[in-house]
Amino acid sequence: MEDSSLVGTLTNAVKEHSRAFGVTGAVIGAILVIYYCGSINFYPSGLTIADTLFFLWVVVVFGFYYSVVAFAFFIASTFWVAIFAKPINFILKTLNTKTDIVVPLPKSDWLMVLGSGFIANLLILGISYFKGHSFMATFGALFLIGFIYTLIESVSKRINTSDKLLDSSGKPINTKPINPQIVNNVFYILIYAAPLLFGQVGGGVTRTTFETMGVRQEAINLHIGAKEYKSTLEAYSNNGLIADLECSDVCTIKNANILFTNVGTNTKVELYGKSGSIQLVLPTKAIKLTANPKPNKSSKADAEKRAAS
């Protein structure tokens, strides 16, 4: 294996395939948007030119955000490959096997991989914990990336060997070995797609990106025009599907989730009650106000004292 820097290799790969990476990121962004819309059974309608441009911008942001996530998973995975390669090789030798794990890293990259890989693991696991993402999906993505990272290196070495296959008479069999560049492309695709295949379980990448863009909002207070929707909302509240409903001039619903808004003329919301939950599609203009109150501990305590006095 050529003793080249991991950072240099990745930089050269991005330079050589920048257009392909850009197209791939946009395609993945579009797939994620369509996937998310399908998962909530809602597609925006009544799009204006501004809405269309914003929707395309969301797709581009998805692609960029996912590329950052994929790179973080890659660095985090190489950390574990570097840590466990020697113990696994020792076990394989004790079992008298000729197979060993080759860590495709030059010495100059070990410090970078261990340092940045440790930080990447802390960030990934921390975000997974606080966002409620599946740890099994997260570790599945890390394992798949590490496995492919070492497997492709082994396959590439076998492709480049000069050993020839012989038939029963001892004559060489003409074979067409796989082009190493094709193997490298497969390597890039699988590494890039691993977080999508595993880490996307539960919609983690999609939810986080939509929340960042303001398209999705969780645990907020909704204020809806009471003139047209009061009787309908109260009926759902009586059925135990909406909790904390208060109606006067407007109807206020606490702890609601907006699944999709700011694109098109309609908004999809998810409401919870004692008997279950319900998803509603409302005209965006019917939502008069959204609020996300976050009182600090001191102000909350003072408010409780004033309410008790």
Side-chain angles (χ1 to χ4, degrees):
M1 175 184 163
E2 184 180 352
D3 189 43
S4 58
S5 170
L6 177 64
V7 176
T9 302
L10 291 175
T11 303
N12 291 333
V14 172
K15 288 181 179 179
E16 293 176 4
H17 307 285
S18 58
R19 188 171 299 178
F21 277 119
V23 173
T24 302
V27 171
I28 288 182
I31 291 173
L32 286 175
V33 171
I34 295 173
Y35 167 85
Y36 177 76
C37 291
S39 67
I40 63 173
N41 195 25
F42 176 81
Y43 292 90
S45 60
L47 298 179
T48 64
I49 295 178
D51 290 331
T52 303
L53 292 176
F54 180 74
F55 191 76
L56 294 175
W57 173 245
V58 170
V59 169
V60 173
V61 171
F62 263 146
F64 174 77
Y65 177 80
Y66 179 78
S67 298
V68 174
V69 171
F71 179 75
F73 267 83
F74 173 72
I75 294 297
S77 179
T78 55
F79 171 83
W80 295 111
V81 172
I83 292 294
F84 286 105
K86 288 186 177 181
I88 294 176
N89 284 337
F90 176 78
I91 295 174
L92 292 175
K93 288 181 180 179
T94 59
L95 297 176
N96 295 324
T97 60
K98 297 182 179 179
T99 306
D100 61 352
I101 294 178
V102 178
V103 183
L105 289 174
K107 293 182 179 180
S108 60
D109 283 333
W110 277 79
L111 181 61
M112 185 274 292
V113 167
L114 293 178
S116 58
F118 179 76
I119 296 173
N121 275 282
L122 287 181
L123 290 175
I124 291 172
L125 296 178
I127 293 173
S128 297
Y129 175 77
F130 287 109
K131 292 290 186 179
H133 297 172
S134 170
F135 278 104
M136 182 174 295
T138 301
F139 283 111
L142 293 174
F143 174 80
L144 179 62
I145 292 173
F147 177 75
I148 297 172
Y149 188 49
T150 55
L151 178 63
I152 296 299
E153 176 70 12
S154 176
V155 172
S156 298
K157 285 189 173 183
R158 291 186 180 183
I159 291 174
N160 293 327
T161 58
S162 58
D163 296 338
K164 296 182 179 180
L165 298 176
L166 303 178
D167 59 17
S168 57
S169 62
K171 296 181 179 180
I173 300 176
N174 292 326
T175 60
K176 295 182 179 179
I178 302 176
N179 189 327
Q181 187 59 42
I182 296 177
V183 176
N184 288 335
N185 290 337
V186 172
F187 164 75
Y188 291 135
I189 293 172
L190 292 177
I191 293 294
Y192 193 71
L196 181 64
L197 298 175
F198 283 88
Q200 181 57 26
V201 174
V205 175
T206 310
R207 286 201 311 266
T208 303
T209 306
F210 264 132
E211 289 167 10
T212 303
M213 299 290 294
V215 175
R216 178 187 173 103
Q217 303 172 37
E218 291 190 346
I220 65 169
N221 294 343
L222 276 180
H223 302 276
I224 302 172
K227 183 178 180 180
E228 297 179 352
Y229 301 100
K230 179 180 179 180
S231 59
T232 303
L233 294 175
E234 287 180 342
Y236 286 127
S237 179
N238 294 332
N239 291 333
L241 298 176
I242 302 178
D244 299 325
L245 174 66
E246 299 177 1
C247 287
S248 55
D249 294 335
V250 295
C251 290
T252 300
I253 305 173
K254 297 181 180 179
N255 295 319
N257 292 336
I258 293 182
L259 303 181
F260 201 103
T261 190
N262 291 331
V263 179
T265 57
N266 295 324
T267 294
K268 185 153 190 176
V269 299
E270 186 175 33
L271 310 174
Y272 296 90
K274 295 180 180 179
S275 301
S277 63
I278 185 172
Q279 294 184 356
L280 299 175
V281 177
L282 298 169
T284 302
K285 63 181 181 180
I287 300 176
K288 305 302 181 182
L289 180 68
T290 62
N292 188 16
K294 294 181 179 180
N296 56 41
K297 293 182 179 179
S298 59
S299 62
K300 184 177 181 180
D302 294 338
E304 291 177 349
K305 288 180 181 179
R306 288 195 297 268
S309 61

